[in-house]
Amino acid sequence: MEQSERTVIGVLGLGEAGGAFSADLAAAGAVVRGYDPAVTAGPDLIAATSESDAATGADLVLSVNRSAAAVEAMEAGIGSLPPGSVWADLNTASPEKKRRLAEIADQHGVRFADVAIMAPVPGPRLQVPMLVSGSGAQRTAELLSGFGANVEVLDGPAGLAATRKLLRSVYFKGMAASIVEALEAAEAAGFGDLLRENIIADFTTAGESTVERIVSGTYQHAVRRTDEMAAATEMLTDLGVTPTMAAASRDLHAHLGASRR
């Protein structure tokens, strides 16, 4: 469902995510004011000259640049937002930084939305699953959902959406890094295809009991697995592979083992 063309959305950052969101919003009927000092705004966007210019007259600003620039971008643009508008930060940042952004927004009398993008943007684009919390969460969801976005509102303050995303990141990105390291070592040892088949089989047969089995087994066998991962760390070093994840696993098992004594 399209919203009125009178809905104005400022987008700060026109890279992979911001570029896809701004193009989809414009195609759905929004007036999009885009700003990125390194990327030219698309033909369906109003090319803004600064953060302040992008925020001028906007019902909603989407900050989709990077965490390191989030505070600077807000301070540069938030003063141009009309009363009743919302500043939404979509950058992957710590809950503490999201709370800091919410404080700045509150000082300017602006509602703030902590938005967490929960999957890769290419493919689903604007329909990628998003979580949103904070004082401007409901309004952000109303505006974006009207243009076809997939937004779930969390009942809580800024920082809650970021917490949900980063907890999953610890699990998923950590797992991904371990798989990449293991496959690199397997290739060096001449068993790349075999380990890849093992990994696929593990994913294929995983069920509801898998998580509990992994967690309980890790605690129960922490001492033995410390030695196992120490050996694995030595092996990767001998293979010429930096054992970043293997060494971290060794250290975590050692910590768990010591806590059970």
Side-chain angles (χ1 to χ4, degrees):
M1 178 179 71
E2 294 188 3
Q3 294 218 161
S4 167
E5 290 186 351
R6 288 164 37 185
T7 299
V8 180
I9 300 178
V11 180
L12 307 181
L14 300 174
E16 182 178 77
F21 291 166
S22 60
D24 287 359
L25 288 165
V31 175
V32 180
R33 301 177 63 84
Y35 173 69
D36 190 318
V39 180
T40 302
D44 295 332
L45 276 57
I46 297 173
T49 58
S50 65
E51 292 90 350
S52 178
D53 188 26
T56 299
D59 300 288
L60 172 68
V61 167
L62 305 179
S63 180
V64 205
N65 31 58
R66 55 195 179 91
S67 174
V71 173
E72 181 182 355
M74 173 180 272
E75 291 177 336
I78 198 167
S80 298
L81 273 181
S85 298
V86 181
W87 187 284
D89 187 86
L90 283 71
N91 299 296
T92 299
S94 70
E96 178 56 35
K97 176 167 281 190
K98 297 283 187 169
R99 289 189 285 269
R100 171 61 182 144
L101 291 168
E103 290 175 359
I104 297 173
D106 187 60
Q107 291 166 7
H108 286 80
V110 172
R111 287 175 289 179
F112 177 76
D114 165 19
V115 182
I117 302 171
M118 299 302 290
V121 172
R125 297 172 64 90
L126 187 59
Q127 294 183 338
V128 67
M130 289 183 275
L131 302 178
V132 59
S133 65
S135 61
Q138 191 62 50
R139 181 58 175 158
T140 298
E142 290 171 359
L143 288 171
L144 292 181
S145 297
F147 294 110
N150 179 9
V151 185
E152 178 185 348
V153 176
L154 302 179
D155 184 16
L160 179 60
T163 298
R164 285 271 299 270
K165 176 185 175 77
L166 293 175
L167 287 174
R168 187 178 188 279
S169 296
V170 173
Y171 142 67
F172 193 82
K173 300 310 190 320
M175 176 186 66
S178 293
I179 289 174
V180 168
E181 181 173 295
L183 286 173
E184 182 183 358
E187 292 289 346
F191 296 106
D193 290 342
L194 179 60
L195 182 59
R196 187 177 294 270
E197 291 172 2
N198 291 160
I199 294 170
I200 292 171
D202 288 339
F203 275 100
T204 302
T205 58
E208 292 184 7
S209 64
T210 300
V211 173
E212 181 55 37
R213 177 173 55 81
I214 290 174
V215 172
S216 61
T218 298
Y219 279 97
Q220 180 180 355
H221 304 295
V223 174
R224 175 177 62 78
R225 291 181 182 181
T226 299
D227 294 338
E228 182 177 340
M229 293 313 299
T233 298
E234 293 178 14
M235 180 187 71
L236 265 63
T237 301
D238 291 342
L239 290 170
V241 176
T242 302
T244 303
M245 301 306 294
S249 176
R250 174 202 63 202
D251 295 344
L252 176 61
H253 282 92
H255 171 72
L256 294 178
S259 67
R260 292 174 63 88
R261 291 173 182 167

